[in-house]
Amino acid sequence: WHIECSAMASDVLGDQVDLNSGGSDLKFPHHENQMAQAEAHFDCCSWVNYFLHSGHLSIDGLKMSKSLKNFITVREALSKYSARQIRFLFLLHRYNEPMEYSENTMGAAADLERRFAAFDTSLGARIAEAEAAAAAAARGERGAPTFKWGKEERELNALLDEKRRAVHEALQDSINTPLAMKQLEQLLRATNIFMRDLPDATRGASLLRSISRYFDKVLGAFGVARAEREISSKESGGAATPLQLVSALSAFRDDVRQIAISSKKTKSKSESATGSAAESAVAADLATDVLRLCDELRDNVLPAVGVRLEDRASGRAQFSLDDPVRLQAEAARKRESAAKAEAERLAKEEKRRADALRDADRAAVEPKRMFEPQFDALFDRETSFGEFDETGLPIATADGEPLSKSATKKLIKMRQKHEKVYSERNK
């Protein structure tokens, strides 16, 4: 086996080999023997300049191999995961270290790939929104965008420079892709926070374009370029990509939603101008129905096909692509939370109504009769009084035990307070 490889390599490459690669298990004895045989034959002391030994691919802790019959073909892997997700798995491991192929490791890789895809969509939508604002300003439809950087832009720009250096250093360290991906993920999170905290699309537009170009460059080098954006009309036979379809649908919904909101806001103006309350009411009802359908599209229809839509104050929704199961679970949690909040609101409203009725019933009771047993439940008393003075003030419990001075003082204060309520009601 060793002499076969030495003979074939020598025949093709001669007395000098620049790079020899193989699995980490070939370091010894195979590559050691190759070196010994070839260097003895050519009478040299360095037949191979560099060795590149890759880690093993394992399944359930065992090396994947035909002999163990525990291998998975590329076709089988692609039937369950996308090529991009599998490449993310490779990027999360160094080339010279073992890599485990399992549900857990692929789940982590697929989750990271979805986060990068969602970030790409969000970033693209934000840049498109900034470009639309700039175009509107050029047409004179709105004020010119502000290009002056604030504290947030300067901090994000500094982080971009820092992560660029960190990624470069990681790749120089024997192609440390896990560390490089970690740096990219940190930049991703910081950018998401920037876009969340500064919803104005004109803020940091040029910086966000730089970040987008940087992600395109690095992810393209890693072989996980943004597939949706790379599919040209020619490659897709002239058909729109899923991302383009979602973008078009989101833009259409934004326009319809803004028209409906404006219609509701101008209801009173329309009513005073035309003098027709009926027509205005019909228009308002139509606007309400349109807004309800827009919410239905956002909350139920799109999550079922893997699209997350978030309305923003600017009037332009931000969308991202994600796992439909994850989005439907999020939607279910939101519905559950909304239902709980509505139930709590109704319970509070019911309590307010009950308290108002109770207060009204209490206010109707004459102060001198408020301590009578028949009103115990109304005034939330657990025990009754058995003896009263000529003003109706209790002087003994139902068991005949005289009340203490402190208890009497407390009852006097309660009656004085009730007298004010009673007099206010019966003015």
Side-chain angles (χ1 to χ4, degrees):
W1 174 35
H2 312 307
I3 195 63
E4 285 177 351
C5 288
S6 302
M8 290 187 290
S10 298
D11 183 57
V12 175
L13 301 174
D15 61 356
Q16 186 69 62
V17 178
D18 189 40
L19 179 67
N20 193 346
S21 65
S24 57
D25 57 332
L26 298 185
K27 290 180 183 180
F28 180 85
H30 186 56
H31 285 160
E32 289 280 359
N33 273 282
Q34 276 188 286
M35 292 282 288
Q37 293 165 351
E39 288 174 4
H41 175 72
F42 290 113
D43 192 21
C44 64
C45 60
S46 182
W47 182 55
V48 176
N49 291 333
Y50 304 100
F51 278 98
L52 190 153
H53 294 105
S54 59
H56 289 152
L57 179 61
S58 302
I59 294 183
D60 296 328
L62 298 175
K63 175 186 173 183
M64 183 185 293
S65 66
K66 289 184 178 180
S67 60
L68 295 176
K69 297 182 179 180
N70 66 341
F71 63 91
I72 292 178
T73 66
V74 173
R75 189 183 302 276
E76 289 172 337
L78 287 174
S79 67
K80 193 168 185 180
Y81 303 100
S82 70
R84 194 168 187 257
Q85 290 171 337
I86 295 174
R87 289 172 181 174
F88 264 84
L89 176 66
F90 297 157
L91 290 170
L92 292 176
H93 297 79
R94 299 190 70 161
Y95 76 90
N96 57 347
E97 294 178 352
M99 185 179 78
E100 177 82 9
Y101 179 91
S102 66
E103 291 293 328
N104 289 337
T105 58
M106 275 308 309
D111 182 67
L112 183 61
E113 187 273 335
R114 280 192 292 268
R115 275 184 279 151
F116 271 80
F119 170 71
D120 170 40
T121 306
S122 300
L123 184 57
R126 174 66 175 254
I127 293 173
E129 189 176 344
E131 291 172 349
R139 295 191 300 268
E141 298 174 2
R142 59 170 292 172
T146 302
F147 295 105
K148 184 178 180 180
W149 279 10
K151 174 187 175 184
E152 295 84 356
E153 285 90 348
R154 290 191 293 271
E155 289 178 348
L156 183 59
N157 185 63
L159 184 68
L160 172 60
D161 290 340
E162 175 189 331
K163 295 308 174 185
R164 274 175 169 160
R165 289 191 296 271
V167 169
H168 186 68
E169 290 170 1
L171 296 179
Q172 286 186 316
D173 180 20
S174 192
I175 319 177
N176 190 343
T177 55
L179 181 57
M181 292 300 293
K182 183 179 179 181
Q183 303 302 322
L184 290 177
E185 192 177 2
Q186 291 173 354
L187 178 59
L188 179 155
R189 284 199 296 267
T191 308
N192 274 335
I193 292 172
F194 175 87
M195 293 191 292
R196 181 199 66 197
D197 293 346
L198 298 175
D200 182 1
T202 62
R203 289 286 302 271
S206 60
L207 173 58
L208 293 177
R209 290 190 191 95
S210 296
I211 292 174
S212 179
R213 288 192 294 268
Y214 178 64
F215 271 91
D216 278 343
K217 177 182 177 181
V218 178
L219 295 182
F222 286 169
V224 288
R226 300 185 278 190
E228 288 291 353
R229 291 191 179 185
E230 289 189 338
I231 300 176
S232 65
S233 297
K234 182 178 179 181
E235 291 171 330
S236 59
T241 66
L243 191 63
Q244 291 169 333
L245 291 173
V246 172
S247 179
L249 176 61
S250 179
F252 174 74
R253 175 184 174 276
D254 289 339
D255 292 340
V256 171
R257 186 168 175 270
Q258 289 305 309
I259 292 172
I261 292 174
S262 298
S263 178
K264 292 195 72 174
K265 287 181 178 179
T266 57
K267 173 187 174 184
S268 58
K269 294 181 181 179
S270 173
E271 190 172 320
S272 61
T274 63
S276 175
E279 291 181 8
S280 182
V282 170
D285 290 342
L286 178 59
T288 300
D289 288 340
V290 169
L291 290 174
R292 178 181 56 78
L293 290 173
C294 287
D295 290 346
E296 174 72 14
L297 181 68
R298 177 198 62 203
D299 298 335
N300 298 317
V301 178
L302 291 180
V305 293
V307 179
R308 178 189 287 109
L309 206 62
E310 298 175 87
D311 288 319
R312 295 187 292 175
S314 64
R316 291 294 163 186
Q318 179 172 299
F319 64 87
S320 59
L321 307 181
D322 207 334
D323 181 11
V325 175
R326 182 196 303 274
L327 293 183
Q328 287 180 299
E330 287 181 4
R333 286 194 295 271
K334 287 180 180 178
R335 287 193 296 270
E336 183 180 345
S337 178
K340 183 179 179 181
E342 178 64 12
E344 291 176 352
R345 186 191 68 80
L346 292 174
K348 289 179 180 178
E349 184 63 30
E350 181 61 29
K351 186 177 183 304
R352 279 194 295 268
R353 284 197 295 267
D355 289 346
L357 290 173
R358 181 204 60 197
D359 292 343
D361 290 342
R362 285 180 178 178
V365 178
E366 293 181 78
K368 67 180 182 180
R369 300 188 59 198
M370 66 176 292
F371 295 115
E372 293 179 4
Q374 60 181 317
F375 298 120
D376 286 344
L378 181 60
F379 286 93
D380 298 328
R381 288 193 294 267
E382 295 181 358
T383 58
S384 300
F385 300 107
E387 192 174 346
F388 306 86
D389 63 12
E390 64 278 4
T391 64
L393 189 68
I395 58 175
T397 64
D399 298 332
E401 184 177 345
L403 296 179
S404 65
K405 288 183 178 181
S406 61
T408 301
K409 286 182 180 179
K410 187 180 294 186
L411 294 176
I412 291 173
K413 288 182 180 180
M414 290 174 60
R415 188 165 69 177
Q416 288 173 344
K417 183 178 180 181
H418 181 63
E419 284 172 347
K420 292 180 181 179
V421 175
Y422 181 80
S423 61
E424 285 288 331
R425 179 183 183 277
N426 296 281
K427 279 183 178 180

mmCIF file of all heavy atoms in Angstrom, residues 370-405:
data_model
loop_
_atom_site.group_PDB
_atom_site.id
_atom_site.type_symbol
_atom_site.label_atom_id
_atom_site.label_comp_id
_atom_site.label_asym_id
_atom_site.label_seq_id
_atom_site.Cartn_x
_atom_site.Cartn_y
_atom_site.Cartn_z
ATOM 1 N N MET A 370 -75.653 51.339 58.186
ATOM 2 C CA MET A 370 -74.617 50.606 57.454
ATOM 3 C C MET A 370 -74.036 49.419 58.221
ATOM 4 O O MET A 370 -73.483 48.488 57.613
ATOM 5 C CB MET A 370 -73.475 51.554 57.052
ATOM 6 C CG MET A 370 -72.670 52.120 58.215
ATOM 7 S SD MET A 370 -71.267 53.137 57.684
ATOM 8 C CE MET A 370 -70.184 51.919 56.947
ATOM 9 N N PHE A 371 -74.152 49.416 59.570
ATOM 10 C CA PHE A 371 -73.595 48.312 60.354
ATOM 11 C C PHE A 371 -74.612 47.229 60.679
ATOM 12 O O PHE A 371 -74.304 46.282 61.417
ATOM 13 C CB PHE A 371 -72.986 48.863 61.648
ATOM 14 C CG PHE A 371 -71.799 49.762 61.394
ATOM 15 C CD1 PHE A 371 -71.854 51.116 61.711
ATOM 16 C CD2 PHE A 371 -70.633 49.256 60.839
ATOM 17 C CE1 PHE A 371 -70.780 51.949 61.470
ATOM 18 C CE2 PHE A 371 -69.545 50.086 60.606
ATOM 19 C CZ PHE A 371 -69.617 51.434 60.906
ATOM 20 N N GLU A 372 -75.824 47.349 60.135
ATOM 21 C CA GLU A 372 -76.842 46.326 60.383
ATOM 22 C C GLU A 372 -76.443 45.023 59.696
ATOM 23 O O GLU A 372 -75.806 45.030 58.638
ATOM 24 C CB GLU A 372 -78.192 46.812 59.856
ATOM 25 C CG GLU A 372 -78.759 47.998 60.623
ATOM 26 C CD GLU A 372 -80.093 48.480 60.058
ATOM 27 O OE1 GLU A 372 -80.594 47.817 59.109
ATOM 28 O OE2 GLU A 372 -80.598 49.504 60.537
ATOM 29 N N PRO A 373 -76.809 43.867 60.262
ATOM 30 C CA PRO A 373 -76.409 42.562 59.719
ATOM 31 C C PRO A 373 -76.784 42.346 58.261
ATOM 32 O O PRO A 373 -76.066 41.656 57.527
ATOM 33 C CB PRO A 373 -77.120 41.566 60.636
ATOM 34 C CG PRO A 373 -77.270 42.288 61.926
ATOM 35 C CD PRO A 373 -77.520 43.721 61.552
ATOM 36 N N GLN A 374 -77.911 42.926 57.841
ATOM 37 C CA GLN A 374 -78.356 42.706 56.466
ATOM 38 C C GLN A 374 -77.402 43.314 55.430
ATOM 39 O O GLN A 374 -77.450 42.954 54.244
ATOM 40 C CB GLN A 374 -79.747 43.296 56.268
ATOM 41 C CG GLN A 374 -79.838 44.798 56.521
ATOM 42 C CD GLN A 374 -81.224 45.337 56.334
ATOM 43 O OE1 GLN A 374 -81.900 44.975 55.369
ATOM 44 N NE2 GLN A 374 -81.684 46.159 57.268
ATOM 45 N N PHE A 375 -76.524 44.232 55.881
ATOM 46 C CA PHE A 375 -75.571 44.851 54.962
ATOM 47 C C PHE A 375 -74.146 44.335 55.153
ATOM 48 O O PHE A 375 -73.200 44.910 54.615
ATOM 49 C CB PHE A 375 -75.586 46.379 55.152
ATOM 50 C CG PHE A 375 -76.915 47.013 54.857
ATOM 51 C CD1 PHE A 375 -77.594 47.735 55.852
ATOM 52 C CD2 PHE A 375 -77.506 46.884 53.613
ATOM 53 C CE1 PHE A 375 -78.814 48.313 55.593
ATOM 54 C CE2 PHE A 375 -78.736 47.467 53.347
ATOM 55 C CZ PHE A 375 -79.399 48.181 54.341
ATOM 56 N N ASP A 376 -73.987 43.255 55.895
ATOM 57 C CA ASP A 376 -72.636 42.705 56.132
ATOM 58 C C ASP A 376 -71.932 42.336 54.827
ATOM 59 O O ASP A 376 -70.768 42.675 54.607
ATOM 60 C CB ASP A 376 -72.715 41.474 57.043
ATOM 61 C CG ASP A 376 -72.989 41.854 58.490
ATOM 62 O OD1 ASP A 376 -72.804 43.048 58.822
ATOM 63 O OD2 ASP A 376 -73.383 40.970 59.268
ATOM 64 N N ALA A 377 -72.617 41.605 53.956
ATOM 65 C CA ALA A 377 -72.001 41.170 52.693
ATOM 66 C C ALA A 377 -71.658 42.357 51.808
ATOM 67 O O ALA A 377 -70.603 42.383 51.158
ATOM 68 C CB ALA A 377 -72.946 40.219 51.968
ATOM 69 N N LEU A 378 -72.553 43.365 51.786
ATOM 70 C CA LEU A 378 -72.329 44.534 50.941
ATOM 71 C C LEU A 378 -71.071 45.289 51.348
ATOM 72 O O LEU A 378 -70.327 45.789 50.495
ATOM 73 C CB LEU A 378 -73.552 45.452 51.011
ATOM 74 C CG LEU A 378 -73.492 46.722 50.149
ATOM 75 C CD1 LEU A 378 -73.336 46.374 48.674
ATOM 76 C CD2 LEU A 378 -74.735 47.569 50.370
ATOM 77 N N PHE A 379 -70.805 45.340 52.667
ATOM 78 C CA PHE A 379 -69.627 46.067 53.163
ATOM 79 C C PHE A 379 -68.455 45.126 53.484
ATOM 80 O O PHE A 379 -67.507 45.509 54.167
ATOM 81 C CB PHE A 379 -70.000 46.876 54.410
ATOM 82 C CG PHE A 379 -70.826 48.101 54.089
ATOM 83 C CD1 PHE A 379 -72.204 48.054 54.117
ATOM 84 C CD2 PHE A 379 -70.201 49.293 53.753
ATOM 85 C CE1 PHE A 379 -72.962 49.179 53.812
ATOM 86 C CE2 PHE A 379 -70.957 50.429 53.447
ATOM 87 C CZ PHE A 379 -72.350 50.366 53.474
ATOM 88 N N ASP A 380 -68.530 43.895 52.968
ATOM 89 C CA ASP A 380 -67.439 42.911 53.101
ATOM 90 C C ASP A 380 -67.077 42.620 54.555
ATOM 91 O O ASP A 380 -65.899 42.487 54.913
ATOM 92 C CB ASP A 380 -66.184 43.389 52.351
ATOM 93 C CG ASP A 380 -66.420 43.531 50.858
ATOM 94 O OD1 ASP A 380 -67.234 42.765 50.314
ATOM 95 O OD2 ASP A 380 -65.791 44.416 50.242
ATOM 96 N N ARG A 381 -68.120 42.510 55.436
ATOM 97 C CA ARG A 381 -67.857 42.152 56.844
ATOM 98 C C ARG A 381 -68.040 40.652 57.026
ATOM 99 O O ARG A 381 -69.005 40.061 56.543
ATOM 100 C CB ARG A 381 -68.818 42.913 57.769
ATOM 101 C CG ARG A 381 -68.533 44.388 57.887
ATOM 102 C CD ARG A 381 -69.304 45.003 59.051
ATOM 103 N NE ARG A 381 -70.738 44.975 58.836
ATOM 104 C CZ ARG A 381 -71.437 45.967 58.283
ATOM 105 N NH1 ARG A 381 -70.829 47.069 57.871
ATOM 106 N NH2 ARG A 381 -72.752 45.863 58.144
ATOM 107 N N GLU A 382 -67.113 40.047 57.735
ATOM 108 C CA GLU A 382 -67.179 38.607 57.969
ATOM 109 C C GLU A 382 -68.014 38.262 59.209
ATOM 110 O O GLU A 382 -68.507 37.147 59.329
ATOM 111 C CB GLU A 382 -65.764 38.039 58.123
ATOM 112 C CG GLU A 382 -64.936 38.153 56.848
ATOM 113 C CD GLU A 382 -63.547 37.570 57.012
ATOM 114 O OE1 GLU A 382 -63.243 37.107 58.141
ATOM 115 O OE2 GLU A 382 -62.780 37.572 56.043
ATOM 116 N N THR A 383 -68.117 39.202 60.146
ATOM 117 C CA THR A 383 -68.915 38.967 61.355
ATOM 118 C C THR A 383 -69.940 40.091 61.522
ATOM 119 O O THR A 383 -69.764 41.201 61.003
ATOM 120 C CB THR A 383 -68.017 38.919 62.607
ATOM 121 O OG1 THR A 383 -67.293 40.159 62.713
ATOM 122 C CG2 THR A 383 -67.027 37.755 62.519
ATOM 123 N N SER A 384 -70.999 39.785 62.243
ATOM 124 C CA SER A 384 -72.075 40.764 62.459
ATOM 125 C C SER A 384 -71.956 41.401 63.838
ATOM 126 O O SER A 384 -71.249 40.897 64.728
ATOM 127 C CB SER A 384 -73.447 40.086 62.333
ATOM 128 O OG SER A 384 -73.618 39.515 61.055
ATOM 129 N N PHE A 385 -72.636 42.528 63.980
ATOM 130 C CA PHE A 385 -72.734 43.194 65.277
ATOM 131 C C PHE A 385 -74.096 42.875 65.879
ATOM 132 O O PHE A 385 -75.102 42.735 65.177
ATOM 133 C CB PHE A 385 -72.556 44.707 65.121
ATOM 134 C CG PHE A 385 -71.211 45.093 64.538
ATOM 135 C CD1 PHE A 385 -71.104 45.546 63.233
ATOM 136 C CD2 PHE A 385 -70.060 44.979 65.313
ATOM 137 C CE1 PHE A 385 -69.872 45.884 62.707
ATOM 138 C CE2 PHE A 385 -68.827 45.326 64.785
ATOM 139 C CZ PHE A 385 -68.721 45.771 63.479
ATOM 140 N N GLY A 386 -74.152 42.806 67.259
ATOM 141 C CA GLY A 386 -75.408 42.414 67.907
ATOM 142 C C GLY A 386 -76.128 43.527 68.639
ATOM 143 O O GLY A 386 -77.326 43.400 68.947
ATOM 144 N N GLU A 387 -75.441 44.611 68.946
ATOM 145 C CA GLU A 387 -76.074 45.689 69.718
ATOM 146 C C GLU A 387 -75.555 47.037 69.218
ATOM 147 O O GLU A 387 -74.381 47.172 68.879
ATOM 148 C CB GLU A 387 -75.738 45.522 71.200
ATOM 149 C CG GLU A 387 -76.558 46.405 72.111
ATOM 150 C CD GLU A 387 -76.300 46.117 73.578
ATOM 151 O OE1 GLU A 387 -75.690 45.057 73.877
ATOM 152 O OE2 GLU A 387 -76.691 46.952 74.411
ATOM 153 N N PHE A 388 -76.461 48.017 69.143
ATOM 154 C CA PHE A 388 -76.122 49.334 68.584
ATOM 155 C C PHE A 388 -76.593 50.428 69.524
ATOM 156 O O PHE A 388 -77.540 50.246 70.308
ATOM 157 C CB PHE A 388 -76.802 49.525 67.217
ATOM 158 C CG PHE A 388 -76.510 48.416 66.234
ATOM 159 C CD1 PHE A 388 -77.275 47.254 66.209
ATOM 160 C CD2 PHE A 388 -75.456 48.536 65.336
ATOM 161 C CE1 PHE A 388 -77.007 46.231 65.311
ATOM 162 C CE2 PHE A 388 -75.189 47.516 64.433
ATOM 163 C CZ PHE A 388 -75.952 46.362 64.419
ATOM 164 N N ASP A 389 -75.959 51.627 69.422
ATOM 165 C CA ASP A 389 -76.448 52.753 70.213
ATOM 166 C C ASP A 389 -77.544 53.473 69.427
ATOM 167 O O ASP A 389 -77.949 53.014 68.333
ATOM 168 C CB ASP A 389 -75.295 53.695 70.592
ATOM 169 C CG ASP A 389 -74.639 54.343 69.382
ATOM 170 O OD1 ASP A 389 -75.211 54.253 68.266
ATOM 171 O OD2 ASP A 389 -73.550 54.933 69.521
ATOM 172 N N GLU A 390 -78.014 54.627 69.950
ATOM 173 C CA GLU A 390 -79.138 55.315 69.317
ATOM 174 C C GLU A 390 -78.785 55.893 67.930
ATOM 175 O O GLU A 390 -79.672 56.166 67.118
ATOM 176 C CB GLU A 390 -79.639 56.460 70.215
ATOM 177 C CG GLU A 390 -78.639 57.580 70.462
ATOM 178 C CD GLU A 390 -77.653 57.238 71.570
ATOM 179 O OE1 GLU A 390 -77.714 56.090 72.078
ATOM 180 O OE2 GLU A 390 -76.837 58.098 71.925
ATOM 181 N N THR A 391 -77.451 56.017 67.600
ATOM 182 C CA THR A 391 -77.051 56.545 66.280
ATOM 183 C C THR A 391 -76.781 55.422 65.285
ATOM 184 O O THR A 391 -76.414 55.678 64.135
ATOM 185 C CB THR A 391 -75.783 57.394 66.414
ATOM 186 O OG1 THR A 391 -74.687 56.565 66.843
ATOM 187 C CG2 THR A 391 -75.997 58.534 67.400
ATOM 188 N N GLY A 392 -76.925 54.173 65.714
ATOM 189 C CA GLY A 392 -76.666 53.053 64.826
ATOM 190 C C GLY A 392 -75.245 52.553 64.887
ATOM 191 O O GLY A 392 -74.856 51.662 64.119
ATOM 192 N N LEU A 393 -74.435 53.094 65.806
ATOM 193 C CA LEU A 393 -73.036 52.647 65.928
ATOM 194 C C LEU A 393 -72.980 51.395 66.793
ATOM 195 O O LEU A 393 -73.544 51.348 67.875
ATOM 196 C CB LEU A 393 -72.207 53.758 66.569
ATOM 197 C CG LEU A 393 -70.678 53.534 66.567
ATOM 198 C CD1 LEU A 393 -70.141 53.608 65.141
ATOM 199 C CD2 LEU A 393 -69.995 54.548 67.457
ATOM 200 N N PRO A 394 -72.301 50.328 66.320
ATOM 201 C CA PRO A 394 -72.208 49.082 67.094
ATOM 202 C C PRO A 394 -71.503 49.305 68.425
ATOM 203 O O PRO A 394 -70.523 50.053 68.516
ATOM 204 C CB PRO A 394 -71.388 48.170 66.187
ATOM 205 C CG PRO A 394 -71.564 48.715 64.819
ATOM 206 C CD PRO A 394 -71.657 50.208 64.997
ATOM 207 N N ILE A 395 -72.028 48.628 69.486
ATOM 208 C CA ILE A 395 -71.385 48.686 70.799
ATOM 209 C C ILE A 395 -71.048 47.292 71.313
ATOM 210 O O ILE A 395 -70.381 47.140 72.331
ATOM 211 C CB ILE A 395 -72.276 49.432 71.811
ATOM 212 C CG1 ILE A 395 -73.652 48.749 71.919
ATOM 213 C CG2 ILE A 395 -72.420 50.897 71.429
ATOM 214 C CD1 ILE A 395 -74.544 49.368 72.987
ATOM 215 N N ALA A 396 -71.509 46.256 70.579
ATOM 216 C CA ALA A 396 -71.227 44.876 70.995
ATOM 217 C C ALA A 396 -71.268 43.965 69.778
ATOM 218 O O ALA A 396 -71.932 44.250 68.774
ATOM 219 C CB ALA A 396 -72.232 44.412 72.045
ATOM 220 N N THR A 397 -70.555 42.836 69.902
ATOM 221 C CA THR A 397 -70.543 41.841 68.825
ATOM 222 C C THR A 397 -71.832 41.038 68.862
ATOM 223 O O THR A 397 -72.663 41.185 69.765
ATOM 224 C CB THR A 397 -69.343 40.896 68.992
ATOM 225 O OG1 THR A 397 -69.510 40.152 70.224
ATOM 226 C CG2 THR A 397 -68.036 41.671 69.055
ATOM 227 N N ALA A 398 -71.982 40.137 67.905
ATOM 228 C CA ALA A 398 -73.174 39.285 67.861
ATOM 229 C C ALA A 398 -73.237 38.363 69.075
ATOM 230 O O ALA A 398 -74.319 37.915 69.477
ATOM 231 C CB ALA A 398 -73.177 38.462 66.578
ATOM 232 N N ASP A 399 -72.100 38.076 69.706
ATOM 233 C CA ASP A 399 -72.051 37.228 70.907
ATOM 234 C C ASP A 399 -72.296 38.027 72.179
ATOM 235 O O ASP A 399 -72.245 37.478 73.291
ATOM 236 C CB ASP A 399 -70.690 36.524 71.000
ATOM 237 C CG ASP A 399 -70.447 35.609 69.817
ATOM 238 O OD1 ASP A 399 -71.459 35.109 69.259
ATOM 239 O OD2 ASP A 399 -69.279 35.391 69.450
ATOM 240 N N GLY A 400 -72.512 39.343 72.043
ATOM 241 C CA GLY A 400 -72.779 40.173 73.208
ATOM 242 C C GLY A 400 -71.540 40.737 73.862
ATOM 243 O O GLY A 400 -71.630 41.396 74.902
ATOM 244 N N GLU A 401 -70.371 40.529 73.288
ATOM 245 C CA GLU A 401 -69.121 41.037 73.877
ATOM 246 C C GLU A 401 -68.953 42.512 73.505
ATOM 247 O O GLU A 401 -69.002 42.870 72.325
ATOM 248 C CB GLU A 401 -67.933 40.229 73.352
ATOM 249 C CG GLU A 401 -66.619 40.624 73.986
ATOM 250 C CD GLU A 401 -65.463 39.755 73.497
ATOM 251 O OE1 GLU A 401 -65.733 38.687 72.911
ATOM 252 O OE2 GLU A 401 -64.314 40.169 73.697
ATOM 253 N N PRO A 402 -68.748 43.389 74.490
ATOM 254 C CA PRO A 402 -68.606 44.824 74.218
ATOM 255 C C PRO A 402 -67.388 45.092 73.331
ATOM 256 O O PRO A 402 -66.361 44.413 73.414
ATOM 257 C CB PRO A 402 -68.431 45.442 75.607
ATOM 258 C CG PRO A 402 -68.996 44.437 76.552
ATOM 259 C CD PRO A 402 -68.721 43.087 75.953
ATOM 260 N N LEU A 403 -67.497 46.113 72.467
ATOM 261 C CA LEU A 403 -66.389 46.481 71.577
ATOM 262 C C LEU A 403 -65.363 47.315 72.321
ATOM 263 O O LEU A 403 -65.709 48.119 73.194
ATOM 264 C CB LEU A 403 -66.915 47.270 70.387
ATOM 265 C CG LEU A 403 -67.863 46.531 69.439
ATOM 266 C CD1 LEU A 403 -68.333 47.461 68.320
ATOM 267 C CD2 LEU A 403 -67.206 45.303 68.837
ATOM 268 N N SER A 404 -64.127 47.157 71.972
ATOM 269 C CA SER A 404 -63.051 47.940 72.584
ATOM 270 C C SER A 404 -63.098 49.369 72.053
ATOM 271 O O SER A 404 -63.749 49.666 71.044
ATOM 272 C CB SER A 404 -61.697 47.311 72.262
ATOM 273 O OG SER A 404 -61.459 47.377 70.873
ATOM 274 N N LYS A 405 -62.380 50.272 72.772
ATOM 275 C CA LYS A 405 -62.344 51.671 72.343
ATOM 276 C C LYS A 405 -61.707 51.821 70.957
ATOM 277 O O LYS A 405 -62.164 52.618 70.137
ATOM 278 C CB LYS A 405 -61.564 52.495 73.360
ATOM 279 C CG LYS A 405 -62.294 52.709 74.681
ATOM 280 C CD LYS A 405 -61.473 53.604 75.599
ATOM 281 C CE LYS A 405 -62.231 53.855 76.912
ATOM 282 N NZ LYS A 405 -61.459 54.749 77.822
#
